[in-house]
Amino acid sequence: MKYFILSISILSALSVHAQDQLSLSDAIQIGLERNYGIRIEEGNVEVASNNNSWGEAGRLPTVNLNVQSQNSIRNQQSDNQFFGGTLFPGFELNNQQTFGLTPAVTVTWNIFQGNRAIISKRRLEQLQAESEQNAEVVVSNTIQSIILGYYIAVLEQRRLDEFQKQLNLSRDKYDYIQTKYDLGGAVTSDMLLEENNYLTDSVSVLNQQLALNNAFRNLNLLLVQDDINTEYVLTDSLMIEDFTYDYADLSNAAFNQNVDLKSIYISQTILQANTSLQQASRLPTLSLNGGYNWNRNVSDLTNARYDGPNPDFQTPPEPLVSKTGTYFANFTLSFTLFDGNRINRAIRNAIVQEDIGNIRIDQLKKTIQRDLATAYDQYLVRKQLLAINQRRREAAEINLQNSEEKFRNGSINSFDFRDVQNNYLSAAILELQAIYNLIDSKVTLMRLTGGLVREYNP
C-alpha cells in the first residue's frame, strides 16, 4: 500500500499549478498579440510604409540652405609699392579686417529621369504590399501552430483522463481482491496480480501527466507567456464538425487565397518593376540646379596701422560695406552613350531574375497542388478512421461494463478482465488520436486554402 501512497503523492505534486480558463479563440488572440514573429513583421510593414513616398522614389526636389561666414585679418608689407602715383619702399598696412556672410538657398530637381521616379514609387508600393503579405504568412503559420498546440494539450488532457479511469478501476479491483483475500476468498497470487496492475497504471498516469505538462509548456511558448509552467482549464473540447469538402472548391481557393502563393505573386511584380527600372536607365535625364546667393562683405580699415613714407595716408573713417545678390537656374540634359554595356547587362540580368520568379511560381503551384491532394485524401481517410475508432471504443466500453459484472460474480478471472480493461484503454486512446488527426487534416486544408486568416484573423 505504501507504493500506492507514493504514486498518488507524486501525481499530486506534478498537478499542483495555478490554472486559468482558456478557450481556443482566446489562445489565438493572445498569440497574435504577443508572437515574436508577428511583432517583427509588423515592424517591417511599418518601415515599408514609411518608405512608400514620392520623396523616397526621387520625384521631389531637394532644397538646401547654406550659410557661409568668411572672416580674415590681413597684414600687408612691400619693399617696393606704388602708392598715390609714386613708387616708394617700406609700405606696411597691418590689421586689415574683413568680414563676409553668404547665405544661399539651392534647389536640385531631377525633372525627368526616364520615368524612374514613377517606377520606383510603384516598386515601393509593391514592397509595402510584400511586407504586409509576409506578415499574413506569419499570422497564418502562427494560427496553425496555436490551434494544433491547443488541441495537443486537450488531447493529452483527455489521455490523462482515460489513464486515470484505468487507474481508478485498477484501484477498485485491488480493493475488491484485498477484501476477498482478507476473508479467505482469494489467494496471494490474485492480490499480487492486482497490485502489479495498479502500479503499472500508476506509472502510466505519471508519464501522461508529464506529457500534459510538456504540452502546456509548448502552448505557453506559442502564447509568449511569462510563466512557462502555467496550466489551463481548456474550455474547447476535442471535437470536430463533420464537414464534407468539395475538392474543386478547395483547389480554386488554394490557387486564389493561399498566402504563400499570394506572397510570391507580389515578389514577382517587384522583379518586373526592377526590369522596368533598369530599362529606364537607357533614357536621358533632365535636372535643374537653381538657387539664390546673397553676400554681405565688410572691409574694416578703421583700426589699420600704417607705416610708410606717405604722410598724407589716412585710414577710412568707417568700414567699407558691399552687398551682392545672385539668382541662378541651370539645366542639365544627360544621356549615357556608352558605359561598357553595364546598362544592357543589368537589363538582361533583371529579365533572367524575372524568368526565375516565374519558374518559382510554377514550382509553388505544383507543390500546392500536390499538398492539397495529399491533405484532402488524408482528411477523407481520417474521417473513416475516426468512425471506425469511435465504434471500436463504444464496443470496448460496453464490453468493459459487462466484464466488470462478470468479474465480480466470478464468471471471468483477473487475466481476462485485465485484457478487456486494456482493450478499452487502447480503443479510447486511438479514438482520441483519430479526432486530433482529423483536426490536424482540417487545419492543413484551411492553411492551404487561406482559410485560417479569413476565419481567425479577419
Side-chain angles (χ1 to χ4, degrees):
M1 193 64 181
K2 61 182 179 180
Y3 300 109
F4 309 155
I5 297 174
L6 176 61
S7 64
I8 294 173
S9 300
I10 295 176
L11 178 59
S12 300
L14 289 171
S15 303
V16 175
H17 294 284
Q19 292 187 339
D20 302 319
Q21 287 192 345
L22 182 69
S23 65
L24 177 60
S25 59
D26 290 339
I28 293 174
Q29 181 179 358
I30 293 172
L32 293 180
E33 291 175 354
R34 300 180 180 178
N35 182 267
Y36 293 117
I38 292 177
R39 288 157 59 187
I40 291 172
E41 289 303 323
E42 287 176 349
N44 292 333
V45 170
E46 184 176 357
V47 170
S49 177
N50 292 335
N51 290 335
N52 184 16
S53 65
W54 282 110
E56 188 70 20
R59 182 69 179 271
L60 303 181
T62 300
V63 181
N64 293 318
L65 172 64
N66 299 316
V67 179
Q68 183 178 12
S69 176
Q70 297 175 333
N71 307 293
S72 66
I73 298 177
R74 182 183 180 190
N75 296 323
Q76 183 179 1
Q77 297 182 9
S78 178
D79 291 337
N80 198 16
Q81 176 73 35
F82 182 82
F83 189 84
T86 62
L87 263 171
F88 59 88
F91 175 83
E92 183 175 348
L93 183 62
N94 297 323
N95 199 27
Q96 303 178 57
Q97 300 180 16
T98 302
F99 308 96
L101 183 65
T102 307
V105 177
T106 60
V107 178
T108 303
W109 186 17
N110 291 323
I111 300 175
F112 178 78
Q113 44 186 330
N115 288 329
R116 291 178 65 88
I118 297 176
I119 298 172
S120 296
K121 180 60 168 64
R122 189 182 306 123
R123 186 171 182 271
L124 291 172
E125 293 173 354
Q126 293 161 350
L127 287 173
Q128 179 181 350
E130 183 183 45
S131 297
E132 293 171 351
Q133 188 58 43
N134 289 339
E136 186 173 345
V137 172
V138 175
V139 168
S140 180
N141 293 338
T142 301
I143 292 174
Q144 182 180 20
S145 298
I146 292 174
I147 292 175
L148 296 181
Y150 183 93
Y151 279 117
I152 285 178
V154 176
L155 173 63
E156 300 297 354
Q157 179 65 67
R158 290 288 305 276
R159 282 174 172 169
L160 179 60
D161 295 340
E162 294 299 333
F163 281 116
Q164 186 64 54
K165 287 167 60 176
Q166 176 91 330
L167 178 61
N168 294 339
L169 184 56
S170 296
R171 182 180 60 243
D172 293 341
K173 286 172 58 184
Y174 176 79
D175 292 340
Y176 175 72
I177 294 298
Q178 180 71 48
T179 302
K180 289 184 64 176
Y181 178 79
D182 293 341
L183 297 176
V187 297
T188 303
S189 60
D190 291 337
M191 188 180 66
L192 293 176
L193 173 63
E194 295 305 329
E195 181 181 358
N196 180 71
N197 291 338
Y198 185 84
L199 292 175
T200 299
D201 294 338
S202 298
V203 171
S204 298
V205 169
L206 290 172
N207 288 331
Q208 184 57 37
Q209 181 65 54
L210 287 175
L212 177 59
N213 292 343
N214 290 333
F216 279 135
R217 292 189 183 99
N218 292 332
L219 180 59
N220 286 323
L221 183 63
L222 293 171
L223 302 184
V224 196
Q225 290 284 17
D226 294 331
D227 184 5
I228 203 69
N229 292 315
T230 301
E231 293 187 358
Y232 306 96
V233 177
L234 303 174
T235 58
D236 283 63
S237 60
L238 197 66
M239 297 288 292
I240 185 170
E241 182 182 357
D242 186 7
F243 188 81
T244 300
Y245 289 102
D246 181 75
Y247 184 77
D249 293 338
L250 291 175
S251 181
N252 182 64
F255 286 114
N256 289 280
Q257 300 297 329
N258 181 273
V259 292
D260 298 307
L261 196 56
K262 290 165 65 176
S263 178
I264 200 172
Y265 278 143
I266 296 176
S267 299
Q268 185 64 15
T269 61
I270 294 175
L271 293 177
Q272 294 170 353
N274 185 58
T275 301
S276 300
L277 198 63
Q278 298 301 329
Q279 291 172 339
S281 300
R282 289 175 171 172
L283 301 177
T285 60
L286 178 64
S287 61
L288 166 67
N289 183 27
Y292 173 73
N293 294 334
W294 182 82
N295 175 262
R296 182 177 185 272
N297 190 72
V298 178
S299 181
D300 187 358
L301 300 179
T302 57
N303 295 320
R305 296 192 304 274
Y306 172 75
D307 186 8
N310 188 355
D312 297 328
F313 177 82
Q314 295 181 356
T315 58
E318 60 184 21
L320 303 176
V321 179
S322 63
K323 300 177 182 179
T324 304
T326 304
Y327 299 88
F328 63 94
N330 303 313
F331 293 89
T332 302
L333 180 64
S334 176
F335 187 83
T336 303
L337 297 178
F338 181 75
D339 63 347
N341 283 326
R342 183 190 62 82
I343 294 178
N344 292 333
R345 284 194 298 270
I347 293 174
R348 287 196 298 267
N349 291 338
I351 293 174
V352 171
Q353 292 295 330
E354 191 175 340
D355 292 339
I356 292 174
N358 287 324
I359 294 173
R360 287 174 176 164
I361 290 176
D362 293 338
Q363 181 184 27
L364 182 58
K365 284 183 176 180
K366 290 295 183 182
T367 302
I368 292 175
Q369 187 177 20
R370 179 205 62 191
D371 293 345
L372 181 64
T374 301
Y376 181 70
D377 288 344
Q378 191 177 62
Y379 178 80
L380 295 179
V381 170
R382 286 180 172 179
K383 280 184 66 175
Q384 296 175 349
L385 292 175
L386 176 58
I388 293 173
N389 283 289
Q390 284 177 334
R391 179 54 189 156
R392 178 186 296 175
R393 193 266 310 162
E394 292 170 356
E397 186 176 15
I398 295 173
N399 190 29
L400 178 64
Q401 295 171 353
N402 295 335
S403 298
E404 185 175 5
E405 183 63 28
K406 292 179 181 180
F407 172 73
R408 292 186 178 277
N409 61 32
S411 300
I412 59 174
N413 57 33
S414 296
F415 292 100
D416 294 334
F417 186 57
R418 182 64 178 180
D419 288 339
V420 174
Q421 189 179 355
N422 288 335
N423 286 337
Y424 169 75
L425 178 62
S426 176
I429 296 299
L430 288 174
E431 181 191 21
L432 294 175
Q433 186 65 51
I435 297 174
Y436 174 80
N437 290 342
L438 189 57
I439 292 175
D440 176 72
S441 294
K442 179 183 178 181
V443 172
T444 300
L445 288 174
M446 295 179 68
R447 170 65 173 79
L448 289 170
T449 57
L452 289 178
V453 176
R454 292 196 304 271
E455 182 168 346
Y456 296 103
N457 189 40

